[in-house]
Amino acid sequence: MDYLEYFFICPPLCQFPGAGGSHSAVDPGLVSSLDPGQSSVILFLSTTNSEPVSGTGVILPYSSSDPVPGGCNAEFNLNIDPNIYIHYNLYETTIRFAPANLGSMRGQAAPSCDAFGPFSQWRLEYDVFQFFLPENDLSEQSLFRALETVADTVGMVTNGNKVLTLSSADPTEAVFSSIPGQGVIYSVIVRDPVTNSSASYIPVHTYACSFSSTLDGCYTLDKISTKIFFTITGLAGLLICFFGHRFFKCELFCMGFSFIAFFFFVLISRTTELEYDVRLVLSALFGVVGGVILVMSWWRFGSVMACVVVVGLMLGFLIASTVLFTPLGDLDIFRRSDAVFWVTFSCIMIIVPLFFVRWPREGNIVTCGVVGAYAVVLAVNAFVYTSLSYITLNILKRLLNSDFSGAFTDVPFQSIDYSLLSVWLVLGASGITLQLLRERERPFFPPSPYLMWLQERERRKTNVLDPSHHCPPLPNRFFSRVKQLTQRSESAGEHTPLLL
């Protein structure tokens, strides 16, 4: 054992005294190179918080053949900096770290960081890992247990998820999709392929939210407006899932509302700095207008195929989002090129309605079942966190943030997600089956009321055998009756008008 790596985990800000050998941060860590004959190390830990705090410490020993995390630091304050620096916003979480160096024997100088070749630090490789904490669990106990589990190399490799591998020539940073309210531990393991050894950087955690903020904090992430909006959306989705094709006008309104509301939310968010609630209300108003326009276009022109294409685009959007929600969406070709991503997304989105042009009724019923059931899942997400909401949320983030393309969109998939996935599948399959059985003896689509009125009017004009053809209009019949009664009263010598 030639050097020690140790770190302390505490929710508030921790501090170590000493220039070049101290660090102030959450999840801080230090590396101490041992001198010949040294058998003990003294550490100082302090906090600026006057209230009692909880903390834990882990000591990791390494040998001279292991790489030194942060041994070639030229950017941060420590001489040897094994820490991972994390920054997050609403869309993405970025981690950065200092390059590592090769190990050395006690009492010997560390290898130069300016050297090149196969015997320098340029041969080192960096594996980036992430470990998800239990969903809906913000407790310190859960965090401490997880950090102790993945503190060393073996623990992280066994329990964590390796996201990517960086060479020494790559920038020492990685970008991930932010998941507010979901605890995530990030770690970097540096490997020396020549000596087949490795060492772990200090694991760092984030919930992508603030515990001290009274607005949009970790405990107040769910806005009332969001809960109301998605509760109504879930109820409408449940109706569409089982009765959408029967109540065709209601289905068209809901689909038109969703399509236009999503479009204007993106447009308003990218072009204005309005508050979230204002954007949500404006998007809902535009959505109502879009739903009414779609219903009125069918009522006036009766073009079922045009309406079904719009409805099919909703199913295509959800299928494309689901495909790119899988690990396929984290491929380098999609992360490095927005053009490739959006062309692929658009192709999948357009193919779906084209596929159902041959079977419009079946396509419409399938759309009702799948999209309606997913709306129920989104309604549940407004009250209980589920990763299934990120199927569409990742697309929304990419539309709103131009820099989101480079972020890894991996999310935890735990017990509640499997339960809601089962609910989605069961509701969708039940709704599709029920509507197919109920509508098999009915016309493919209900007729347009306006076109029916035109046909009825033409029929009355041309069909002289229809008794209604010989009946004068109601106003003419009324005035004719008045005239008859007046003539009758005059012939009888009455001067007082009759009571009609």
Side-chain angles (χ1 to χ4, degrees):
M1 181 176 66
D2 293 279
Y3 68 92
L4 290 173
E5 182 179 34
Y6 45 87
F7 67 94
F8 293 85
I9 309 151
C10 53
L13 198 64
C14 298
Q15 292 186 341
F16 295 83
S22 64
H23 186 54
S24 300
V26 177
D27 302 331
L30 293 173
V31 170
S32 177
S33 300
L34 300 181
D35 297 327
Q38 184 177 358
S39 60
S40 63
V41 176
I42 300 176
L43 306 176
F44 297 91
L45 174 65
S46 64
T47 176
T48 57
N49 198 329
S50 59
E51 300 177 358
V53 296
S54 301
T56 184
V58 178
I59 299 178
L60 305 176
Y62 293 102
S63 65
S64 59
S65 61
D66 297 327
V68 182
C72 285
N73 173 43
E75 181 178 358
F76 306 108
N77 295 327
L78 294 175
N79 298 329
I80 301 177
D81 195 342
N83 294 281
I84 300 173
Y85 295 87
I86 191 166
H87 173 75
Y88 68 85
N89 55 34
L90 178 63
Y91 305 103
E92 60 189 15
T93 298
T94 304
I95 63 171
R96 298 169 57 238
F97 55 93
N101 196 4
L102 302 178
S104 59
M105 299 291 293
R106 293 195 185 193
Q108 294 183 354
S112 173
C113 293
D114 297 327
F116 291 91
F119 298 101
S120 68
Q121 84 282 359
W122 292 98
R123 73 190 189 197
L124 300 177
E125 297 178 346
Y126 304 87
D127 294 333
V128 180
F129 287 80
Q130 64 178 176
F131 176 81
F132 292 104
L133 300 177
E135 293 177 334
N136 301 312
D137 190 348
L138 304 178
S139 64
E140 292 182 356
Q141 294 75 14
S142 175
L143 172 62
F144 289 164
R145 285 194 302 267
L147 283 169
E148 291 174 356
T149 300
V150 299
D152 58 356
T153 303
V154 176
M156 180 56 78
V157 172
T158 304
N159 301 283
N161 175 36
K162 186 171 78 170
V163 180
L164 78 161
T165 298
L166 300 174
S167 67
S168 294
D170 296 324
T172 53
E173 68 177 18
V175 184
F176 303 85
S177 173
S178 292
I179 312 177
Q182 169 64 49
V184 188
I185 298 176
Y186 297 100
S187 183
V188 177
I189 295 177
V190 53
R191 293 183 294 106
D192 189 340
V194 175
T195 61
N196 196 25
S197 58
S198 61
S200 175
Y201 280 74
I202 306 303
V204 62
H205 78 279
T206 181
Y207 293 90
C209 57
S210 172
F211 280 88
S212 58
S213 175
T214 57
L215 181 64
D216 295 338
C218 291
Y219 297 104
T220 58
L221 282 173
D222 297 327
K223 294 177 175 289
I224 298 298
S225 57
T226 301
K227 290 185 177 181
I228 295 174
F229 180 84
F230 281 105
T231 299
I232 297 175
T233 300
L235 294 176
L238 194 62
L239 174 66
I240 296 301
C241 180
F242 289 97
F243 306 101
H245 194 73
R246 171 69 65 87
F247 301 99
F248 191 60
K249 291 188 290 293
C250 295
E251 176 205 341
L252 288 181
F253 175 81
C254 292
M255 295 299 179
F257 174 89
S258 303
F259 191 87
I260 298 300
F262 184 88
F263 173 79
F264 274 95
F265 184 83
V266 174
L267 181 63
I268 294 171
S269 298
R270 290 203 62 126
T271 57
T272 67
E273 299 293 335
L274 297 176
E275 294 290 335
Y276 172 80
D277 290 340
V278 178
R279 284 180 284 158
L280 193 64
V281 170
L282 289 176
S283 301
L285 292 177
F286 282 113
V288 170
V289 175
V292 171
I293 291 176
L294 185 61
V295 173
M296 293 304 296
S297 64
W298 167 76
W299 185 91
R300 174 60 181 84
F301 301 104
S303 178
V304 173
M305 192 58 65
C307 297
V308 170
V309 168
V310 175
V311 172
L313 287 175
M314 292 294 297
L315 178 61
F317 176 86
L318 186 56
I319 292 178
S321 301
T322 304
V323 170
L324 296 174
F325 176 73
T326 63
L328 181 67
D330 281 333
L331 294 178
D332 288 343
I333 190 173
F334 294 130
R335 294 179 55 249
R336 294 177 180 175
S337 174
D338 276 336
V340 174
F341 179 89
W342 289 118
V343 168
T344 305
F345 184 90
S346 301
C347 289
I348 299 175
M349 184 175 173
I350 294 174
I351 287 174
V352 173
L354 293 179
F355 178 79
F356 284 115
V357 166
R358 176 64 178 81
W359 306 278
R361 179 176 65 178
E362 289 73 13
N364 186 59
I365 291 176
V366 170
T367 301
C368 291
V370 176
V371 176
Y374 183 71
V376 176
V377 173
L378 290 180
V380 175
N381 180 75
F383 299 91
V384 180
Y385 171 83
T386 171
S387 297
L388 293 179
S389 62
Y390 281 85
I391 292 177
T392 51
L393 189 57
N394 283 339
I395 302 301
L396 180 61
K397 286 184 175 183
R398 191 150 187 163
L399 286 170
L400 295 179
N401 186 9
S402 303
D403 298 328
F404 187 74
S405 58
F408 288 91
T409 57
D410 191 22
V411 295
F413 216 78
Q414 302 179 10
S415 57
I416 187 173
D417 302 307
Y418 288 105
S419 300
L420 286 176
L421 180 61
S422 302
V423 170
W424 185 11
L425 295 176
V426 170
L427 280 179
S430 302
I432 293 171
T433 303
L434 178 63
Q435 293 196 71
L436 287 175
L437 293 176
R438 188 176 58 235
E439 303 296 329
R440 59 183 177 180
E441 302 296 336
R442 296 176 176 272
F444 273 26
F445 289 93
S448 167
Y450 181 76
L451 296 182
M452 288 181 63
W453 177 78
L454 288 179
Q455 292 174 0
E456 179 66 18
R457 189 177 67 172
E458 288 296 322
R459 184 184 66 82
R460 288 185 176 184
K461 287 182 178 180
T462 58
N463 188 5
V464 295
L465 298 178
D466 188 355
S468 63
H469 177 79
H470 304 281
C471 295
L474 181 59
N476 294 344
R477 281 182 283 166
F478 174 77
F479 289 112
S480 176
R481 178 60 175 166
V482 171
K483 183 177 181 180
Q484 291 176 5
L485 292 174
T486 304
Q487 292 175 353
R488 185 182 304 173
S489 63
E490 291 177 353
S491 62
E494 297 178 355
H495 300 283
T496 303
L498 295 177
L499 179 62
L500 299 180

